[in-house]
Amino acid sequence: MIEFNLKTSLFFLMLAGTLVCAQDKKIEKAAAHFDDMAYVDAINSYEDLEQKGYSSEKMYKDLANANYLNSKYTEAVHWYAKLFALEKRDSALEEMYRYAVTLKSIGDYKTSDIWMQKFSKEKTKDLRSEHFRIKPDYLEIIKNNSGRYQIGEISINSSKSDFAPSFYSGQLIFASARDTGLVSRRIDRWNKKAFFSIYIAKKEADKSFTKSALFAKNIKTRAHQSSTVFTKDGKTLYFTMNNFKGSNFARNNEGVSHLHLYRATLINGEWSNVTALPFNSEDYSVAHPALSEDEKTLYFASDMPGTLGKSDIFKVDIYGDGTYGIPTNLGPTINTEARETFPFISPSNVLYFASDGHPGLGGLDMFAVKLYDPHNTEVINLGAPLNSAHDDFSLIIDEESKSGFFASNREGGMGSDDIYSLKELQPLPFKCYSDINGSIIDQQSGKILVNAKIALDSKYEKQILVNDGGRFYLKLDCGLKTLNVNARNEEYEDTMVTIDLTKKDDLDRVVIALEKKKDILDEGTDLFEALKLKPIHFENDKYEIKKDSYSELDQILAFLNKYPELKIQVRSHTDSKGGDEYNQILSQKRAESTVFYFTSRGIDSSRISGVGFGESQLQNDCRNGSNCSEKIHALNRRSEFIIVK
């Protein structure tokens, strides 16, 4: 019995070891699928492991990201939630952002914002965090932009993926993974779907598109071919295709076949001379071409070196001899650390693009920005119904007819991606801005005042973008003619300047000079002016202190108590009514009654004296015989408080 038990125990130990070894191999295989970007295989392998009780941080992370990269956002939400429910895990900041994006796809914007707040706190310098902080009310902004387009279904969609429309000689070109009837179909291991080919749909008399066929069989390959753009004369085509040589993919050392841009020319009715563009590389993708109106600039999406995120929008010059310049990133106004892709340039230089880095409704949203105008740099979300909680992308539009097309994987479509028509009902609300660059300096030395600040009217205060080290940058709505700016520094007098916004050439070098404050204890200083107190005025033909002046005089009293060595002189005045001699006596009585106010409250009489000046120092032109109102005369019936020692 003992021998049997030992043998049995050894058997089960060996069996357990075999099972553990088998599971380890399945885990390694699932991870290898993910690393090879065979995401559907990775999902299937990991889900099989999860059903058998296995769990790990990497499994949840890979499952979530594999679904995210296949636009299966509802499934991604499930796995991201499991990832962030783990008590112990490594940093997963990119997954945190993607979790916030996918939550929008199920309509949970409140929880999405909570995760965006967490992400923004962890990655303060991330452009996506900055966009979220600047526009915490992004949903309201998008809502206000919504309703500008009418969308409709078109009949050329299939049960597969259809996207990337483009205009060509009154016809519609697009990419599709539909069945072409070929005997052999290559399957993309990324999503287990057929490779894309380029199709053409002819416009019918009623302006609908009902029939489609392969666009150009002579440039068809057994790889992905997708987004296209044509020159106006219809003789040059730029398109996206996998890096391909002969009958096989051209892969890099990591086994990846990146997307590249190619050019073809129309010769005798056939597309030929297919040429790879010189800035393609086996180490990164270059895809989704768009042409400027003058056809001298090519725009595209890429993850080439210099990219801010997963993919950015770039541009490159096309020279007259057919060569190209050096690709240039469009910068952080447009690009983020996430995906910016599928550019389209309208004749009025509006760039339309898709992004999941700018605040949106979920997945890829479509945006627009005015190019080549320093006063129009706002990126606008195109709003619903064009954008949805899913992926919306590859927009094209004819500005003359206000009509166009875009693709989306929203619910209710025929396939995984479908092409929809659009009609612009209202123009985009592009804002015009005036940029102001300025500095605050010392009036005498001309040096920058590093501790200076500026203040605007409350309705403009949020538009102070930079106020650092005495320099400032303002971005104001166009249409304003003037702007009042108040510059401040503790050691200087506040200075208000009015900027003429119609003089555009002067707005880049606005200079505000501040005058240094005089020492408040200097001889000759009028304490009422220095302490910014209300003037002390007297009733007509009277010398008694008015009760409403007590609060001002008490501030002078406090100042005298604070500086016990200080001596002041009260200088009192009258208006021009009455005789000169009478006014002299009246002013002296006013001075004496004012002095008494202080001495009766403990100020030594040696520290304060009073002198009457009659009507000899009038504040205005209300001299003898003048026809002035009582209100104007009252300005001359006053007392001043001058430091004499």
Side-chain angles (χ1 to χ4, degrees), residues 359-379:
L361 297 176
L364 290 169
D365 272 26
M366 293 180 289
F367 298 83
V369 63
K370 195 91 168 178
L371 294 179
Y372 309 122
D373 187 344
H375 305 307
N376 289 283
T377 56
E378 182 184 22
V379 173

Side-chain angles (χ1 to χ4, degrees), residues 177-417:
R178 65 188 60 191
D179 186 3
T180 59
L182 297 178
V183 174
S184 175
R185 292 289 286 156
R186 294 293 295 271
I187 302 298
D188 188 352
R189 61 185 182 179
W190 177 298
N191 55 16
K192 287 293 183 179
K193 295 180 181 179
F195 283 99
F196 302 118
S197 297
I198 302 172
Y199 286 78
I200 183 171
K202 294 184 178 181
K203 183 183 289 187
E204 303 296 336
D206 62 357
K207 297 184 179 180
S208 65
F209 295 93
T210 57
K211 297 179 181 179
S212 60
L214 276 173
F215 171 63
K217 294 181 180 180
N218 57 311
I219 62 171
K220 174 81 174 67
T221 66
R222 297 170 68 195
H224 277 307
Q225 290 177 317
S226 59
S227 43
T228 56
V229 67
F230 298 82
T231 53
K232 294 175 186 176
D233 61 9
K235 295 181 180 180
T236 302
L237 160 68
Y238 293 91
F239 66 101
T240 303
M241 184 169 68
N242 278 100
N243 188 15
F244 206 83
K245 291 182 180 179
S247 60
N248 296 309
F249 286 109
R251 301 183 185 274
N252 62 14
N253 294 332
E254 297 177 353
V256 177
S257 178
H258 286 286
L259 296 175
H260 284 177
L261 285 181
Y262 292 82
R263 182 183 63 194
T265 53
L266 187 65
I267 301 176
N268 297 324
E270 297 286 339
W271 290 102
S272 56
N273 293 339
V274 176
T275 305
L277 299 193
F279 42 87
N280 290 326
S281 171
E282 293 183 358
D283 297 323
Y284 53 80
S285 288
V286 182
H288 312 316
L291 280 171
S292 62
E293 176 67 8
D294 61 9
E295 300 182 350
K296 294 181 179 180
T297 306
L298 181 70
Y299 293 81
F300 57 90
S302 178
D303 59 348
M304 65 173 55
T307 303
L308 300 178
K310 303 302 178 184
S311 64
D312 283 6
I313 308 296
F314 288 78
K315 67 176 181 178
V316 65
D317 291 331
I318 304 174
Y319 298 130
D321 60 0
T323 60
Y324 300 86
I326 299 173
T328 303
N329 190 299
L330 292 194
T333 296
I334 294 167
N335 295 313
T336 70
E337 292 83 354
R339 297 178 292 180
E340 279 71 45
T341 187
F342 288 101
F344 174 80
I345 307 295
S346 75
S348 63
N349 286 323
V350 174
L351 167 65
Y352 296 87
F353 65 98
S355 170
D356 60 2
H358 293 270
L361 297 176
L364 290 169
D365 272 26
M366 293 180 289
F367 298 83
V369 63
K370 195 91 168 178
L371 294 179
Y372 309 122
D373 187 344
H375 305 307
N376 289 283
T377 56
E378 182 184 22
V379 173
I380 296 176
N381 185 300
L382 299 185
L386 216 58
N387 287 322
S388 69
H390 299 275
D391 285 335
D392 307 288
F393 58 100
S394 65
L395 177 148
I396 60 172
I397 188 168
D398 175 13
E399 287 186 331
E400 186 174 340
S401 66
K402 305 295 182 183
S403 60
F405 301 91
F406 71 101
S408 176
N409 65 356
R410 64 187 60 195
E411 295 179 356
M414 290 185 61
S416 55
D417 297 305

Side-chain angles (χ1 to χ4, degrees), residues 129-148:
S129 298
E130 183 178 340
H131 291 318
F132 182 74
R133 286 192 296 270
I134 292 174
K135 295 181 178 179
D137 56 343
Y138 69 95
L139 285 176
E140 189 66 25
I141 295 173
I142 294 173
K143 181 180 178 181
N144 292 335
N145 284 341
S146 295
R148 297 180 182 277

